[in-house]
Amino acid sequence: MAWHIFLNPRAPEIHPDWNDAARTTVGILRMAAGRRPRDTALEHLIGELTVGNRIFAKLWATQHVHEKTHGPKKFHNSIIGEISLSYETFHIPASDDHHMLVIYTSAPNSPERDLLDRLAAATTARRETPVDASTTS
């Protein structure tokens, strides 16, 4: 997710609240770095983000720490437009790497639920459309 937020040029389009997402992502990485100080893959990612994105480097220097728990999150999707979902984070017990499960939900009978249903229908229709063999060879 961190790579996507800072190195994907489309990230600000996908995340309407990109500034908040960027700050939060840096805080989560800072928390992970404190928990796993010898994690070479994490060190490599932080180095890549620092070199690849000046905003990441500036935010990293603030030493902001954040633990993702719960709250709202906005996304922009090319099919349904903007959607705001609620998320809840669950820490996986007995996980030496501090893994977590993040679940995004919408309220029943809400506009967001309708948008998710539209997205699911569009995705299903896309999967069920047969591929023309003449265009794949």
Side-chain angles (χ1 to χ4, degrees), residues 61-80:
T62 68
Q63 299 190 13
H64 170 68
V65 176
H66 181 83
E67 184 160 24
K68 187 173 192 153
T69 55
H70 66 279
K73 176 69 178 148
K74 290 182 184 176
F75 296 96
H76 178 84
N77 178 275
S78 61
I79 297 171
I80 60 170

Side-chain angles (χ1 to χ4, degrees), residues 3-4 18 23 45 49 69 79 82 96 101 106-107 115 133 135 137:
W3 190 96
H4 167 77
W18 187 87
R23 185 172 186 278
L45 175 62
L49 296 173
T69 55
I79 297 171
E82 191 169 306
D96 293 338
L101 172 66
S106 66
L115 289 171
T135 62
S137 44

Side-chain angles (χ1 to χ4, degrees), residues 98-130:
H98 300 278
H99 288 154
M100 62 179 114
L101 172 66
V102 181
I103 298 177
Y104 291 88
T105 61
S106 66
N109 304 315
S110 67
E112 287 78 16
R113 183 67 216 177
D114 294 341
L115 289 171
L116 288 175
D117 289 343
R118 270 186 41 212
L119 182 59
T123 303
T124 301
R126 199 178 278 173
R127 273 189 269 138
E128 292 175 352
T129 303

Side-chain angles (χ1 to χ4, degrees), residues 14-90:
I14 296 166
H15 300 275
D17 57 353
W18 187 87
N19 289 327
D20 185 54
R23 185 172 186 278
T24 299
T25 300
V26 168
I28 292 167
L29 278 177
R30 175 79 57 192
M31 172 86 67
R35 287 180 172 157
R36 301 190 316 262
R38 292 176 193 75
D39 186 329
T40 56
L42 184 57
E43 287 176 11
H44 176 77
L45 175 62
I46 292 166
E48 181 180 8
L49 296 173
T50 301
V51 170
N53 187 293
R54 63 179 176 77
I55 296 172
F56 175 85
K58 184 178 179 179
L59 289 170
W60 186 256
T62 68
Q63 299 190 13
H64 170 68
V65 176
H66 181 83
E67 184 160 24
K68 187 173 192 153
T69 55
H70 66 279
K73 176 69 178 148
K74 290 182 184 176
F75 296 96
H76 178 84
N77 178 275
S78 61
I79 297 171
I80 60 170
E82 191 169 306
I83 185 169
S84 182
L85 300 172
S86 297
Y87 72 85
E88 188 80 30
T89 303
F90 300 91

